[in-house]
């Protein structure tokens, strides 16, 4: 069993999950979902292409995880193939395994196994649907592991993360992929396209965390975050260029001399509580992703180096505009083992 998948056929919304009969609703107010007419097979995946409904990874009494089944063109209630219609079914067998996901892209349907990407299209009344294997090793493991903005396809699976433009697959740079491998569940991620924010958004672990990774095709920028704004919904604040080597980049900020505690005998300082607030760090033209804040300790009055703080709290605030309202993003205690504050947030302007 899988979660519900949806597709739109004109005013008709079609839903499927392979456990229940395929459902449909015509969009009229007060109308409930009901079984789609024509006895379509139960299926895990649904797409609409060329005025036909396509079900993939289906069960018509026999489980066929590598199979596809298309309705008649122009009538999503006709499913039994006959000379009088172009309903059809078949299997994708050039690579092993089940069909894990599928999307409509241009004039095609792209179907994904864990290893294998297939492109299908309606050829003609005699041939009906034609399928070709366009890549034998790339694929996805999650039913929601792929999304499109209509121009690009973003997919993430065991074989890696790729962008597909209709002609070729481009593997994302090694630095970003290393981050994904470390932080993103291959089998439990959700990839979506946000038309409002114009970014691909990939949730790291569905049902466990609201953290996400962003990719903005217009700028080629990547980022991470976990922002929920109750006033406007989900806010994607992270569009930051990730270094190809995924090495930490350090911005040194001089906060000026800070006296901690009280000076004793003119040579040293007693331990005490103090604080310092930085100025604004950043610029209006790009996002900066801050992973850690590391205090650097200066010598004591007797020219011996301080061993570092045994306790401390950092308040991290950000703003999208110069002079705008700073919003608290993190309040974290120092990691005394590593000597740093772990913040992990992106924005244009930062204050600590």
């Amino acid at each position: 069993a899988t979660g519900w998948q949806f597709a739109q056929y004109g005013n008709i919304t079609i839903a499927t999950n392979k456990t229940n009969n395929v459902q449909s609703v015509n969009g009229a107010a007060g109308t409930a979902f009901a079984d789609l007419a024509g006895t379509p097979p139960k299926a895990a995946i649904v797409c609409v292409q060329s005025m036909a409904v396509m079900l993939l990874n289906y069960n018509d009494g026999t489980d066929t995880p590598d199979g596809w089944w298309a309705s008649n063109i122009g009538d999503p209630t006709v499913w039994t193939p006959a000379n009088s219609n172009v309903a059809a079914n078949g299997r994708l067998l050039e690579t092993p395994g089940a069909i894990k996901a599928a999307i409509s892209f241009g004039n095609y349907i792209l179907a994904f196994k864990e290893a294998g990407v297939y492109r299908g299209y309606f050829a003609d009344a005699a041939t009906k649907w034609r399928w070709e294997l366009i890549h034998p090793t790339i694929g996805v493991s999650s039913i929601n592991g792929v999304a499109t903005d209509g121009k690009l396809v973003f997919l993430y699976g065991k074989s890696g993360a790729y962008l597909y433009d209709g002609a070729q697959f481009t593997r994302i740079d090694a630095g970003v992929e290393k981050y994904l491998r470390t932080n993103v569940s291959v089998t439990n991620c959700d990839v979506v396209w946000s038309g409002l924010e114009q970014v691909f958004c990939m949730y790291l672990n569905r049902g466990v965390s609201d953290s996400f990774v962003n990719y903005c095709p217009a700028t080629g920028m990547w980022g991470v975050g976990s922002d929920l704004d109750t006033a406007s919904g989900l806010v994607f604040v992270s569009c930051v260029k990730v270094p190809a080597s995924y090495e930490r980049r350090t911005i040194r900020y001089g906060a000026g001399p800070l006296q901690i505690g009280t000076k004793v005998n003119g040579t040293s300082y007693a331990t005490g509580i103090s604080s310092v607030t930085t100025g604004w760090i950043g610029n209006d033209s790009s996002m900066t992703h801050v992973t850690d804040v590391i205090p650097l300790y200066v010598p004591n009055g007797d020219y011996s180096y301080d061993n570092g703080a045994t306790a401390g709290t950092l308040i991290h605030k950000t703003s999208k505009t110069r002079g705008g309202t700073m919003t608290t993003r993190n309040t974290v205690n120092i990691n005394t083992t590593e000597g740093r504050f772990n913040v992990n947030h992106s924005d244009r302007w930062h204050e600590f």
Side-chain angles (χ1 to χ4, degrees), residues 166-290:
Q168 64 181 1
F169 292 88
T170 302
R171 193 163 191 166
I172 66 171
D173 63 43
V176 178
E177 185 161 321
K178 181 177 180 180
Y179 179 88
L180 296 181
R181 290 290 189 193
T182 304
N183 295 278
V184 180
S185 168
V186 171
T187 58
N188 201 36
C189 70
D190 283 328
V191 181
V192 299
W193 167 252
S194 168
L196 176 64
E197 302 289 342
Q198 294 292 293
V199 295
F200 287 103
C201 179
M202 180 163 49
Y203 286 88
L204 306 189
N205 197 351
R206 184 175 65 247
V208 177
S209 169
D210 66 353
S211 296
F212 52 80
V213 174
N214 288 346
Y215 174 68
C216 179
T219 63
M221 305 289 269
W222 292 84
V224 297
S226 58
D227 251 2
L228 282 172
D229 187 318
T230 56
S232 60
L234 190 61
V235 178
F236 302 99
V237 299
S238 333
C239 283
V240 53
K241 194 72 173 181
V242 178
S245 61
Y246 195 60
E247 296 174 349
R248 293 183 184 273
R249 290 186 176 178
T250 302
I251 299 176
R252 289 177 179 260
Y253 180 86
L258 170 65
Q259 178 176 313
I260 300 178
T262 304
K263 196 170 185 178
V264 178
N265 298 326
T267 58
S268 62
Y269 295 90
T271 302
I273 298 174
S274 189
S275 66
V276 64
T277 300
T278 69
W280 286 30
I281 303 170
N283 61 74
D284 283 325
S285 62
S286 63
M287 306 286 281
T288 301
H289 179 63
V290 180

Side-chain angles (χ1 to χ4, degrees), residues 2 7 28 32 39 44 48 65 73 106 147-148 189-190 204 233 268 283 296 298 301 314 348:
T2 64
T39 62
V48 172
I73 287 183
T148 181
C189 70
D190 283 328
L204 306 189
S268 62
N283 61 74
L296 301 177
V298 299
L314 179 136
R348 291 188 177 92

Side-chain angles (χ1 to χ4, degrees), residues 46-332:
V46 59
C47 294
V48 172
Q49 180 57 264
S50 303
M51 295 184 67
V53 176
M54 177 73 71
L55 299 173
L56 303 99
N57 191 339
Y58 71 82
N59 188 333
D60 65 341
T62 300
D63 190 23
T64 311
D66 55 14
W68 58 270
W69 198 310
S71 75
N72 189 31
I73 287 183
D75 191 346
T77 67
V78 175
W79 290 90
T80 303
N83 292 333
S84 59
N85 64 56
V86 290
N89 57 61
R91 299 172 68 188
L92 305 180
L93 298 172
E94 291 184 67
T95 58
I99 299 171
K100 295 291 188 178
I103 58 170
S104 295
F105 182 63
N107 295 320
Y108 302 96
I109 289 178
L110 300 180
F112 302 83
K113 295 185 176 184
E114 282 196 318
V117 182
Y118 296 79
R119 182 168 59 193
Y121 62 98
F122 183 78
D124 52 54
T127 307
K128 300 182 182 179
W129 289 85
R130 179 173 292 162
W131 290 88
E132 56 185 337
L133 178 66
I134 59 174
H135 203 291
T137 59
I138 291 173
V140 304
S141 302
S142 167
I143 199 167
N144 295 317
V146 59
T148 181
D149 65 350
K151 298 178 182 179
L152 282 175
V153 176
F154 182 92
L155 61 137
Y156 178 57
K158 292 181 178 178
S159 57
Y162 293 83
L163 293 168
Y164 175 66
D165 62 4
Q168 64 181 1
F169 292 88
T170 302
R171 193 163 191 166
I172 66 171
D173 63 43
V176 178
E177 185 161 321
K178 181 177 180 180
Y179 179 88
L180 296 181
R181 290 290 189 193
T182 304
N183 295 278
V184 180
S185 168
V186 171
T187 58
N188 201 36
C189 70
D190 283 328
V191 181
V192 299
W193 167 252
S194 168
L196 176 64
E197 302 289 342
Q198 294 292 293
V199 295
F200 287 103
C201 179
M202 180 163 49
Y203 286 88
L204 306 189
N205 197 351
R206 184 175 65 247
V208 177
S209 169
D210 66 353
S211 296
F212 52 80
V213 174
N214 288 346
Y215 174 68
C216 179
T219 63
M221 305 289 269
W222 292 84
V224 297
S226 58
D227 251 2
L228 282 172
D229 187 318
T230 56
S232 60
L234 190 61
V235 178
F236 302 99
V237 299
S238 333
C239 283
V240 53
K241 194 72 173 181
V242 178
S245 61
Y246 195 60
E247 296 174 349
R248 293 183 184 273
R249 290 186 176 178
T250 302
I251 299 176
R252 289 177 179 260
Y253 180 86
L258 170 65
Q259 178 176 313
I260 300 178
T262 304
K263 196 170 185 178
V264 178
N265 298 326
T267 58
S268 62
Y269 295 90
T271 302
I273 298 174
S274 189
S275 66
V276 64
T277 300
T278 69
W280 286 30
I281 303 170
N283 61 74
D284 283 325
S285 62
S286 63
M287 306 286 281
T288 301
H289 179 63
V290 180
T291 57
D292 308 289
V293 176
I294 305 174
L296 301 177
Y297 301 99
V298 299
N300 287 307
D302 57 1
Y303 299 101
S304 64
Y305 280 89
D306 194 290
N307 291 325
T310 57
T313 300
L314 179 136
I315 300 173
H316 177 206
K317 298 181 179 181
T318 72
S319 175
K320 289 182 173 58
T321 57
R322 184 196 302 267
T325 301
M326 278 286 182
T327 301
T328 299
R329 301 299 184 181
N330 296 285
T331 301
V332 294

